[in-house]
Structures are given as C-alpha cells and as structure tokens.
Amino acid sequence: MGPAPAGEQLRGATGEPEVMEPALEGTGKEGKKASSRKRTLAEPPAKGLLQPVKLSRAELYKEPTNEELNRLRETEILFHSSLLRLQVEELLKEVRLSEKKKDRIDAFLREVNQRVVRVPSVPETELTDQAWLPAGVRVPLHQVPYAVKGCFRFLPPTQVTVVGSYLLGTCIRPDINVDVALTMPREILQDKDGLNQRYFRKRALYLAHLAHHLGQDPLFGSVCFSYTNGCHLKPSLLLRPRGKDERLVTVRLHPCPPPDFFRPCRLLPTKNNVRSAWYRGQSPAGDGSPEPPTPRYNTWVLQDTVLESHLQLLSTVLSLAQGLKDGVALLKVWLRQRELDKGQGGFTGFLVSMLVVFLVSTRKIHTTMSGYQVLRSVLQFLATADLTVNGISLCLSSDPSLPALADFHQAFSVVFLDSSGRLNLCADVTASTYHQVQHEARLSMMLLDSRADDGFHLLLMTPKPMIRAFDHVLHLRPLSRLQAACHRLKLWPELQDNGGDYVSAALGPLTTLLEQGLGARLNLLAHSRLPVPEWDISQDPPKHKDSGTLTLGLLLRPEGLTSVLELGPEADQPEAAKFRQFWGSRSELRRFQDGAIREAVVWEAASMSQKRLIPHQVVTHLLALHADIPETCVHYVGGPLDALIQGLKEASSTKGRMVMSRGGELVMVPNVEAILEDFAVLGEGLVQTVEARSERWTV
C-alpha cells in the first residue's frame, strides 16, 4: 500500500470532521443545487474504540530505532521467530501474578504472621498423652504404633519465613500456593527425636494446636490439612482467606526444626532411625543382626532442615536474570500439561528450579539466555542425562566425611544431591517417573527442532494426560490389595522405611516385575497416583487405601507385540529354574524345529485383536502369581477401538461391494462411497473415545 494523498493527510492531521464534496453531475437545475456544496458531517467515533492510526509518509518509512534493532537481533538469536517470541511472552503474562494480586497476598501473609505468633502455649505432656487436644481437632497423622517415648509442649514459632516459589517470583497461576516455614523452638525438641517418628509426631501435634486456634479466627474462610508432596508423615496446614479472595491464594504452614538441631551424620542414607522392634511390636532380636537402613525416612527429616538454605540458593541464582525465572515458569507449565508434577513422587517445580541452578553452575545455562532457551537447555539435559545411572550433585565440597554418589544410588532410584551433599532432592522420584520425564523431554526436543507451526501449542498449550500418552492403561483398585502384596513380596524393610505406606513400598517392586515380564514388548512403563485430597481439621487423616487408584501406563513397541511365544533357556541351563519360578505354571518344556528343548510360555490368542492384548494376560498372570493381586482388581484399558473396527469390517463385507456389468458380465467391485462412509464413522468414534477419556486444562 502506498502513502495516502496529501489532502487526506491534512484532514487527518487537523482532527476536524471530514467534509464530503460530491462531484457535479450535468448542468441546469441539478448543477445549481450542487453548486451550493452540500456538506455531510461524519459521526464522531464511539468512545473506547481503537481508531486506525494515520501515519505520514516520513513516519511510515522511517529507519528503525536502536531499541527496535536490538529487539529484532534478540528475536533472531534467542527465539526461532517473532511469532514464537510473542506466544511465549503472552503465555508468561497469563501465568504470572499481577502486582495488584501480590499486594493483596502480601497483606494476607502479614495477617497470618501476626496470628501465628500469638497462639498460646501448652504445658509439657507425654507424647502419648493427648487429652489436652480440643474435641474439634484431630492429629493429622496415623500414629501406628501408638506407643512412643518423648514429651511435647507448644510454644509459638521463633521465626516465620516465607519460602518457595512465591518469594522467588516463579509461581504460576491458576493455583497460587505460598509456603511458610515455622521454626519450632529448640525447647520443644529432644536429642533423640529423630528416632521412631518422634519428630513427626511432635510436628503433627504442633499443627493440630495451630489449626484449633486459627480455625476460630474470622480472617480465614478455610482451615484444613493436606499432605506435603503426598508424604503421609509430613502434613501441612492450609489457610485460605475469607470472602472474595478465597481462591486468591493458599498458604501452607510447614513446621520445621532449627537448622542445626539434627546431627547430619545420623541422617545419612545408610543409617537406621526406625527400630524394627518398635515398629513391629516385637522384643529386640538378640542375634546382633543389623538394622535395615531407612533412607527415605532420613530424607524426610533432612528436608525440613534445609528449607531456608534452598531458598537462599535459588534466590541468589534466579535473581541474576529474568530469563531464568521465565524459563522456570515455562518448565512448570510443561510439567503441568503432562501431569508429571502431580501426586507423591512427582517431578515438581522445585526440582526443575534446582535443575536450572545446577545447569547454571555447570555453565550449560547462561544468564543472557531467554526463558525459551532455558526451557530448551533443561529439556535437552533431561533427554540425554540418565540420573538413575549417573547422579548429579550441587555440592562443591571435598569433605571426605560426605557420602559418595554410589551410596545414594544404592538407596534411591534417582540421585540429585543438594549443595550440602547429604540430601537427595529426587528421593521420592521413582525410576519409572524419571524415565517418563526423559521420554517427554525427547519428544519435546524433536518437536522444537522440527520448527512446526503448531509446535508452541503442542508443547505448552495442549494437555497430555496418561490416557493420551500411553497405549494401554491399567488401574489397580482397591489399593488395600497392595498390603497383601507387600507381605507376599516380603517388603518389611520398605514398609518400615515408608512408615507403613504399603502403596509406596510395593510400587517399585511391582513396576520392576512388570517390566521384566513384558520385556521386548514394552517401551515405557509409568505410574500415576492421584494427590490425596485435603481434609477438615475435625476429621481423621485419610488412610492409604483412600488415596484413589494406582494407574499404570504401558507404551508398547510394535515389533514383537503380537508374538504369542516367550522363549526361555534350554532345559539343562541353570537359568531354566529362574524362568520356571518367574512364570509359574505358564512355563512348560517344548521341542522346537531346530531340535532344541527349551522352557517357553505360550499365550492364547487367535485373532490379531487378541494378540494385541497379550500384555493384559502377562500383567494379570504376574500380579496374581507374585503379588497376590487377583484379576478382578486389575482394570485394564486396552484396544477400546477393536470392537468398533470389527463392526465396521462386518458392515463393509456386505455394503462395501457392489455388482456392476462390464462387457456383458457381472463383476464385484468396491463400493467407494460405502468405504468412505465407514472411515467417517471410524473417525467420529476415535474422536469421541479420546475426548471421553481426556481432561482439559487451559492456562
């Protein structure tokens, strides 16, 4: 488009209403009337509507400023295109907190601080003497076994500190959670509180007393309990404001000990802090057998001692550049869309924040990078680094008293040490979850490298629940059956370490069992546990069986999927006994065409649709044989479209052909219209099936 005529520019510049001058048509009477020059004034523009800007020729073709050149150069270097930059910037605007809401949240936090420090104290009593608790509040912890040594009294916290992503500026909408650490006075704790859940009992009683007094305050519209990252030994108290700001923020109170109270050498992954005699209710064994280590229990205690040090480390690094904070926010959106941060053992936003700190320390991320580049760098690292084999550490100390990475690999599936060198940040992350994160990171990198037009939407705007990401999905319920599985698999040390949580204790052995059984058919096995819902302060905490359903997802390989034969070792090999023990009655000796006599398992499958469901037979057989989980407790979802496809095939056999006359002979030819109609029905069925099993989440 060229520049506007000079007359138009002048009229636009004066700001006066335009005057319409119609041309003179003909002569005579009409010409005389036209000579009076009728003027038609345009109506003034409506208020609040944007009007087109009229630029002069000089303004339209002026040279770009230095600021515009720098932005174009940054877009070329830091982003793939200007469109991607605009999309990322708009997404960050949507998920960030506005300054107005921050002011309201800060005001609410000041009110919480004033009320917490004014909670009255309670005289000292035995831990088992809980008669002082009011009738309207329950201890948010399963006290099993109930008998435990120690004393407790309540004193107001010595320090109230805001920790977590809110203070760092990396929290994202729609759910805004503010974590507040309450440092318990040293007078409450005793030297041996690290043993036999004494510290966790005191922590729960501390929260119960706080909940009783804060629940009566009119400032709060909701006061309830919840588990911290799904850990049933570490409840937290949730506070929400009353009125229109009820959904504005959720404040989570976390009692914690003084930073230097527990001796770090007693909380190493090789140490035991839950005595078998106390946990099982038996007399101590006199044979001098060593106690099993309790690495996860020790980690949960250590986590409460480093809340402030982790905040200081994150604040120091992320404050170096805004691009680091933007990258953390994008990573949190990426995790949330794939539901990788949900439930116990999820890959949380805190972990990706610490991962950004690690990559900055190793100079794989620079402070000059944009948020998009930080996202790419972290995804590239996750796609290529296997922390289940080679762990990483933020610790720079060469102290010989610190445990080695090999010690942590023996105790945990995934290893990522913090700056102290004693705490594994990924202690709750299972190998299956990390492999799922790796798989999603590889797919995301392929998508980014392809520079597809819809790459941004597929990466950060499209929900991808488990039903969309995996070929077959199975649900184990009721979860109480896993308690019998722990006894069948003899998982007493794991139960002792997890404080009686039989779901967490059985999860690792069950996934290992299924991975071994599915073998070459399996590409990836992942699990998902729904977060335990909040509960009222007047109710008992949810039991392990009340945490919903344990869901397992199977991503299968096409090659070998339909094979009906599991070929084992030859009968005279020592591995044959292990094969028979693993497969049980399914294993049998067979002679093959080459003359070899081998152990083998043959699955019943006549049609191709039945062969695609052989993993169902494998899963149900192994769970019943080794974990005492009957087939009625395994709800398998696989091949839901087979019935639809089979129905279309039967319909096509009759209407998919028609008779035509060619050269005087009747011949059978395909009915193209009927076939296209079948494909349309199939497409509608696919869409309805996927939409019925998916959940939508929008930023």
Side-chain angles (χ1 to χ4, degrees), residues 208-227:
H209 185 66
L210 280 172
H212 170 66
H213 286 274
L214 297 180
Q216 300 173 352
D217 197 301
L219 174 69
F220 305 110
S222 172
V223 178
C224 56
F225 291 122
S226 177
Y227 287 141

Side-chain angles (χ1 to χ4, degrees), residues 585-639:
S585 59
R586 281 282 189 175
S587 178
E588 57 185 9
L589 281 176
R590 284 182 171 262
R591 182 188 294 274
F592 294 89
Q593 293 181 353
D594 59 355
I597 300 177
R598 292 176 173 270
E599 294 285 345
V601 176
V602 180
W603 305 103
E604 297 84 5
S607 63
M608 184 58 68
S609 61
Q610 293 177 352
K611 291 180 180 180
R612 287 194 293 267
L613 289 178
I614 287 178
H616 183 196
Q617 300 184 47
V618 176
V619 168
T620 53
H621 172 70
L622 291 178
L623 291 180
L625 176 64
H626 294 283
D628 199 19
I629 299 177
E631 186 175 358
T632 55
C633 297
V634 181
H635 303 268
Y636 200 93
V637 181

Side-chain angles (χ1 to χ4, degrees), residues 17-73:
E18 293 187 4
V19 179
M20 305 299 294
E21 298 184 2
L24 295 179
E25 298 181 1
T27 57
K29 200 171 189 179
E30 292 182 359
K32 293 178 181 178
K33 290 182 180 179
S35 63
S36 63
R37 291 196 172 185
K38 296 181 180 179
R39 303 194 174 197
T40 305
L41 300 179
E43 295 183 0
K47 294 183 178 180
L49 295 179
L50 295 177
Q51 298 299 317
V53 179
K54 296 182 178 179
L55 300 176
S56 64
R57 183 181 182 88
E59 292 175 336
L60 190 62
Y61 294 102
K62 70 178 182 180
E63 296 181 357
T65 62
N66 290 335
E67 182 180 354
E68 292 173 340
L69 287 174
N70 290 335
R71 183 174 177 84
L72 291 172
R73 193 177 298 110

